[in-house]
Amino acid sequence: MNPNVSIESDLLPDFRNMGVLLRILVFVHLALFVYTLIGLERWQAWPQNLAAAVLWLEFSMLPALLLLGLANPLLAKLEYSRGVAATCVLVAVAGTFGHWLLMLGVPNWNALLANAVVVVASALTLLKYFHLRQRALSPRLSEARLAALQARIRPHFLFNSLNAVLALIRYEPAKAEQVLEDLADLFRVVMKDNRQLSRLDREVELAKRYLNIEMVRLGSRLKVQWNTENMPGDAAVPPLMLQPLVENAVYHGVEPALNPAPIEVHVFRFRDQLHLDVKNPLPPPDAVREHVGNGMALENIRERLLLHFDAEATLTTQAASDYYQVHIVVPYREITHDDAASPFFGG
């Protein structure tokens, strides 16, 4: 999926996405199994017939998937109708070539033509399935964005921030102005249409602006260790992914504790994956807790990761006696300019 286009209802699937590949494999093999059972003359012959059909399928499908994966960056730049036509041509060529290899070089033109027709029909069926699924997921993504928006507008956060500004206006007007700028930037991002993917460096900057506001209120109690030396700033991530994590770390780890440990944020790339880790201290069991978490922020982030990256993204949590940790892994996708990216409607 082209990361440089806006969200539309007609987009080709990302043929490098693990969720897409798994769905293709499952769909095609199930269809082949049903076809083999329908064409049986003797029930005892189904293992041999299925084995022969699977051999034919693998020689046709695997070259097609390989070629689609290699051509995915070019296909993503085409409009939908041309992308569908190019996809059908590629799978027909690759599938026919694989079937020709299965014949050990002996051309059977009728069989090759029939193979090409079956491969193209299968490709059109799968593309229609992904198209319908993408249309079905679009409202869910909008709902997840709205839920993220509603979760971010915390009345007491706005109230505390404005009180902090009022306390600073007379004695530290420059600092008060900076807090208002940070608050304006934060709400500007929150109120915009956040269905598109965002640059990672933007998300880090947004989280830092939020922490600057909270630091005015919490003072020296709030300490954050940023480990971003190996962070790819051009990575594509869902918007409002990091800021809710550090906000939860402040609310549940720093505020209830008298002498809280620093919040640790690690962002790095390892091979073709982006890792984001937020670790916050936990107060003692007898500490007074003003905020009780219900997991809505994490569930919202998990849902948006699924909608954007399908099976290639994970969100895991770890709770110990004195700390809580959230670890997110997403595939590394580059955004080459400042505009937001579209979701990888892969699966």
Side-chain angles (χ1 to χ4, degrees):
M1 182 107 18
N2 184 3
N4 300 326
V5 295
S6 60
I7 292 179
E8 300 175 3
S9 59
D10 297 328
L11 292 171
L12 288 175
D14 181 1
F15 294 108
R16 299 171 301 179
N17 186 283
M18 187 60 65
V20 172
L21 296 178
L22 288 176
R23 285 180 172 84
I24 292 176
L25 292 173
V26 170
F27 174 85
V28 173
H29 283 85
L30 283 178
L32 182 67
F33 180 71
V34 173
Y35 173 79
T36 303
L37 293 182
I38 293 175
L40 280 179
E41 296 181 358
R42 294 182 303 106
W43 176 253
Q44 293 79 2
W46 78 266
Q48 296 84 355
N49 291 4
L50 183 60
V54 168
L55 181 63
W56 167 83
L57 174 66
E58 303 303 334
F59 271 84
S60 298
M61 182 179 62
L62 294 182
L65 291 179
L66 176 61
L67 187 57
L68 287 177
L70 294 175
N72 190 78
L74 298 178
L75 293 174
K77 297 178 181 179
L78 301 176
E79 62 182 36
Y80 184 74
S81 58
R82 293 183 179 180
V84 170
T87 300
C88 291
V89 170
L90 289 177
V91 298
V93 171
T96 303
F97 175 74
H99 197 196
W100 176 75
L101 290 179
L102 187 61
M103 296 178 180
L104 300 178
V106 181
N108 184 333
W109 301 113
N110 291 332
L112 290 177
L113 179 60
N115 177 80
V117 172
V118 171
V119 169
V120 171
S122 301
L124 288 174
T125 302
L126 283 167
L127 287 174
K128 185 62 176 179
Y129 159 73
F130 285 119
H131 187 209
L132 293 176
R133 186 175 189 274
Q134 178 180 311
R135 286 178 175 270
L137 287 180
S138 294
R140 287 184 57 195
L141 187 60
S142 298
E143 292 170 3
R145 182 201 69 85
L146 181 59
L149 170 64
Q150 294 171 339
R152 298 279 57 79
I153 304 179
R154 300 180 185 265
H156 66 271
F157 166 68
L158 179 60
F159 178 78
N160 291 338
S161 300
L162 293 178
N163 276 344
V165 171
L166 290 175
L168 291 171
I169 285 178
R170 178 173 298 181
Y171 303 102
E172 297 183 76
K175 193 172 184 179
E177 182 181 356
Q178 182 61 51
V179 172
L180 287 176
E181 290 179 0
D182 291 336
L183 190 63
D185 288 339
L186 179 63
F187 274 82
R188 184 180 298 114
V189 173
V190 167
M191 298 301 294
K192 68 181 290 190
D193 187 345
N194 288 310
R195 289 176 295 176
Q196 298 175 330
L197 292 176
S198 174
R199 287 179 60 98
L200 178 58
D201 51 10
R202 282 185 175 182
E203 294 302 303
V204 171
E205 179 63 25
L206 177 66
K208 289 182 176 180
R209 286 183 177 270
Y210 163 76
L211 290 171
N212 288 340
I213 298 172
E214 291 287 38
M215 199 166 292
V216 173
R217 182 170 62 91
L218 296 173
S220 60
R221 295 177 60 205
L222 177 58
K223 298 182 177 64
V224 183
Q225 294 180 355
W226 290 92
N227 298 281
T228 57
E229 296 80 7
N230 298 318
M231 179 189 78
D234 58 358
V237 295
L240 294 174
M241 182 181 72
L242 178 58
Q243 187 270 334
L245 296 181
V246 296
E247 182 173 344
N248 281 348
V250 171
Y251 276 35
H252 305 298
V254 177
E255 284 194 3
L258 296 177
N259 298 298
I263 296 173
E264 299 178 21
V265 181
H266 301 263
V267 186
F268 61 94
R269 176 186 176 185
F270 181 71
R271 296 179 180 174
D272 292 330
Q273 290 183 321
L274 173 68
H275 294 255
L276 193 152
D277 188 89
V278 178
K279 181 179 179 181
N280 63 268
L282 287 181
D286 56 349
V288 178
R289 298 173 182 264
E290 297 181 5
H291 312 288
V292 179
N294 53 16
M296 288 184 59
L298 289 181
E299 286 303 317
N300 182 272
I301 294 173
R302 184 178 283 109
E303 181 179 7
R304 289 189 289 136
L305 288 173
L306 176 64
L307 293 174
H308 281 290
F309 298 109
D310 203 339
E312 292 189 316
T314 60
L315 186 154
T316 57
T317 60
Q318 180 181 359
S321 59
D322 59 346
Y323 73 89
Y324 185 83
Q325 183 173 340
V326 180
H327 186 71
I328 294 176
V329 180
V330 299
Y332 172 68
R333 299 286 187 268
E334 179 183 0
I335 298 182
T336 56
H337 56 73
D338 290 337
D339 292 338
S342 68
F344 299 90
F345 273 110

